[in-house]
Structures are given as C-alpha cells and as structure tokens.
Amino acid sequence: MSAITTSPASIRLDAVSKSYDGQSLAVDAVTLDIQPGEFFSLLGPSGCGKTTTLRMIAGFETVDAGRILVGDRDVTDVPVHKRDMGMVFQSYALFPHRTVAENVAFGLRMRGIDKAEIAERVKAALALVALTGYEDRKPGQLSGGQQQRVALARATVIKPPVLLCDEPLGALDRKLRQQMQFELKQLQKELGVTLVFVTHDQEEALAMSDRIAVMNAGRIEQVGTPGEIYERPRTRFVADFIGEINLMEDAGGKALAVRPEKIVLGAASGAQVSGRVESANFLGGQTLYRIITADGRQMLAKETNVGERPVRAVGDEVGLSWSPADAVHLEA
Ligand SMILES: Nc1ncnc2c1ncn2[C@@H]1O[C@H](COP(=O)(O)OP(=O)(O)OP(=O)(O)O)[C@@H](O)[C@H]1O
C-alpha cells in the first residue's frame, strides 16, 4: 500500500436544489448516487448547473432543498473545512511565493501533522505526479501542466475520500490536456479516490469517466457509462450534445437517432436514403461527409479513408444505409 492510498466514499445527492435569485433554479432536484472509487463526471453546456452542483458537494454553496451524504454521513450543513474533500480547479490557485513542496504540504500543516510525516507524504505525492526534483521551485517556474500536477498533489496528499475537480484541465493546450487526462485517470485509480469531475467537453468526459451525468438547465438528463450515453442516448438533448448525430423520424413519427459512423455509404439504388455529397471533411483516419438527401435534409456520415484522400467527392450521388439496431428511439 502506498502512503497516500485513501478509502473512497460514496456520495449521494437526494433531490438537491439551488436558486441564486429565489426564482429560477440553477440546480433542480438533482438526485445522484456516486459509488466509492468511481470517476464520475458532470457534463453539460455552460450554465447548466455543473459547477453549482460541485460547489454544493464541497460546501461552498448552501443547499436550498435536499440532502447530501458522503458515505452515511449527512454533510448538508457541514462547513467546507470539515467535509474532508480534495479540490482542484481550472485556475491552479497555488501560492505563488511558496515552493512546490510548501504548496503540497499546506493541507497537512493545517491539520497539525508532524514534520517527518509531512516530508514523507509530500515526497510520495510529488512522486505520484512525476514531480520529484521540483520541490524547491516556485509555481511561476513551472509549465501549466506541471502547475496542475502540483495542484493535484496538494489536493490528494491529505488522503481525501473524495476529490472534486472543476474543469481542471481547461487551461491546458490540447496535447497536454490529453496527456493530463490520462495521468489524472491513472492517479485516481492508484489513489482509489471517488472523483467528481466537472467538464463541458464531451470527449473528455467519454474518455475519462466510469459514469457520466448529462445535465441540462439544472436537471439530470441521463446517467450512464460513456458507452451507454453515446450509444443509447435517451433524449434529443443528450443525443445532440454528445458527438454528432442524425436526428430523424421513423414511419410512426417517433424521434430516431443514428450516429454518422453507423451509416454505410454505397450505391444510391437500394439504400434507405439517397443524396448528394455536399462537403467532405478529412479527419485523418476518417472523413465526415455532409450529405443533402433527395428530400432536402442534411445528414452526416463518417467513413474510414482508404489512402490519402476521402473515398467520396463533393457532388457524388450516394446511398445511405444503417442497421435498425443502430437507430436509437428517443423518449423526448
Ligand atoms: N454566484 C452566482 N450568483 C447568481 N447566479 C449564479 C451564480 N453562479 C451561477 N449562477 C447561475 O446559475 C446557473 C448555473 O451556473 P453554473 O456555474 O452552475 O453552471 P455550469 O454548468 O457550471 O456552467 P459553466 O460551464 O459555464 O461553468 C447559471 O444560470 C448561472 O448564471
């Protein structure tokens, strides 16, 4: 066992609501059951209530209605510093005049832990985020990714049963962000901590999470594994928010969704739908085609490339087919 392994806690939100203005609900009766050790993401567009939900779990915001439980402890009215949660934000919020080691040691000092143990735990926490040797630097002497790793070490060194992260990788460029996604996921598994992660980036949520709650206008639209959310969206909102999708109606007028990569392109005759290629976006391994159907609708299809260029050209007549099993009926 490493010196910084934690015992993860479950988190339960029971019909939690919050209004800032006494009229509209920023968070509307949200109920969630997050399992111990789970990587759980709150995903949704700007203003949907993700941050407010996270801040209520942390204790930075009061709850207007409902209860929050960590394990079997009701923390609804417990102040922030007594909830024992680690937190990481987009802005790293490191102390600029303190060294890396001092930044990481901060939470341990506040808890009155003795010097020898602090030294040992800081060392282990920095090793875990691959920053051994950086102890004496100031945050200003580190890259963005390194600063975020210090913030992670600082949040996890206190061995919290719960780690809350609000867009922690939002300030990083794409490449570094992908690397840090991998590292954060790895770190979470090594620590065994329950992690609640706020993001508006659907790719990030799909890549990292055990489960995702998709939020819309203060409410939970759907909770599921990345595979369920992507392959079986329940509502039009979820289907549309996660990746690209073709929204149609079946013969009975019910809403139907098909992912672009589930569409097979071929000869126009005999296909479910036929159309003309309007644009072809080369994505590397695949091309995304925008196709205008005979009745004037736009559809998207993704096809694997063979060689250096897209298989189809703008203006080509194509047939679009898909398996009924790949067409998802939407509830709303
Ligand atoms: N301190 C505040 N005072 C008043 N209204 C607020 C406050 N914080 C958030 N809101 C409002 O509450 C709603 C939810 O905001 P919240 O920050 O939780 O959304 P979010 O999903 O995290 O968005 P983003 O991705 O942009 O951070 C929004 O309508 C927002 O304008």
Side-chain angles (χ1 to χ4, degrees):
M1 278 290 195
S2 102
I4 41 178
T5 305
T6 57
S7 334
S10 63
I11 304 170
R12 178 171 170 77
L13 274 64
D14 188 8
V16 169
S17 293
K18 172 78 186 177
S19 175
Y20 289 102
D21 57 10
Q23 294 179 337
S24 59
L25 287 169
V27 172
D28 185 358
V30 162
T31 293
L32 288 174
D33 269 303
I34 302 171
Q35 302 303 312
E38 193 168 29
F39 195 121
F40 192 93
S41 292
L42 300 172
L43 172 68
S46 181
C48 72
K50 308 179 293 290
T51 294
T52 302
T53 302
L54 197 78
R55 289 175 61 83
M56 288 192 290
I57 297 173
F60 290 124
E61 296 291 350
T62 55
V63 164
D64 291 340
R67 313 298 302 166
I68 298 176
L69 282 92
V70 175
D72 37 22
R73 178 179 177 218
D74 186 331
V75 299
T76 315
D77 303 311
V78 172
V80 177
H81 65 279
K82 294 199 172 144
R83 289 198 192 189
D84 218 16
M85 296 176 179
M87 275 168 268
V88 183
F89 305 100
Q90 179 171 345
S91 60
Y92 321 121
L94 299 175
F95 302 112
H97 303 299
R98 296 186 193 227
T99 65
V100 166
E102 286 165 353
N103 266 282
V104 176
F106 180 75
L108 299 173
R109 275 219 217 93
M110 295 293 286
R111 285 166 172 76
I113 291 168
D114 74 68
K115 270 195 170 155
E117 189 182 343
I118 290 181
E120 189 187 318
R121 282 170 65 174
V122 167
K123 192 170 169 218
L126 286 173
L128 210 55
V129 296
L131 282 180
T132 302
Y134 289 80
E135 291 78 2
D136 298 326
R137 294 224 198 164
K138 300 276 173 65
Q141 298 169 307
L142 300 175
S143 71
Q146 289 168 337
Q147 289 184 48
Q148 195 55 290
R149 287 201 211 120
V150 176
L152 277 169
R154 186 180 59 177
T156 53
V157 76
I158 58 167
K159 303 187 195 178
V162 169
L163 182 60
L164 306 177
C165 297
D166 192 349
E167 304 258 2
L169 313 179
L172 307 176
D173 69 46
R174 190 179 160 82
K175 193 94 188 197
L176 188 53
R177 191 175 170 133
Q178 279 174 344
Q179 187 192 331
M180 285 293 293
Q181 285 173 359
F182 178 73
E183 288 177 15
L184 177 56
K185 175 99 184 159
Q186 194 91 335
L187 180 66
Q188 184 256 344
K189 291 296 169 218
E190 276 170 41
L191 294 170
V193 68
T194 307
L195 197 153
V196 188
F197 187 84
V198 162
T199 183
H200 64 268
D201 180 334
Q202 35 111 357
E203 274 180 35
E204 184 161 278
L206 291 174
M208 300 185 76
S209 315
D210 293 316
R211 283 191 306 151
I212 300 170
V214 181
M215 293 188 73
N216 175 24
R219 282 195 280 269
I220 304 287
E221 286 267 331
Q222 186 170 356
V223 180
T225 63
E228 285 164 357
I229 295 280
Y230 185 80
E231 297 288 349
R232 299 276 141 204
R234 260 214 327 258
T235 63
R236 188 176 285 258
F237 179 85
V238 175
D240 212 18
F241 189 73
I242 313 283
E244 286 121 357
I245 197 125
N246 294 295
L247 293 170
M248 296 173 274
E249 284 183 357
D250 67 8
K254 288 210 304 194
L256 204 60
V258 187
R259 295 277 176 209
E261 68 273 19
K262 298 288 164 59
I263 299 221
V264 180
L265 296 177
S269 67
Q272 270 137 301
V273 172
S274 66
R276 185 189 295 267
V277 174
E278 172 94 351
S279 67
N281 284 7
F282 184 76
L283 304 176
Q286 295 173 306
T287 294
L288 181 67
Y289 296 99
R290 203 152 54 87
I291 293 156
I292 303 297
T293 64
D295 57 0
R297 285 177 303 126
Q298 175 184 297
M299 288 187 69
L300 297 171
K302 219 179 237 180
E303 194 178 43
T304 300
N305 294 325
V306 187
E308 289 177 16
R309 55 173 59 88
V311 178
R312 330 251 158 212
V314 171
D316 280 2
E317 294 288 340
V318 288
L320 296 83
S321 307
W322 57 90
S323 152
D326 290 329
V328 183
H329 276 110
L330 304 175
E331 286 169 20

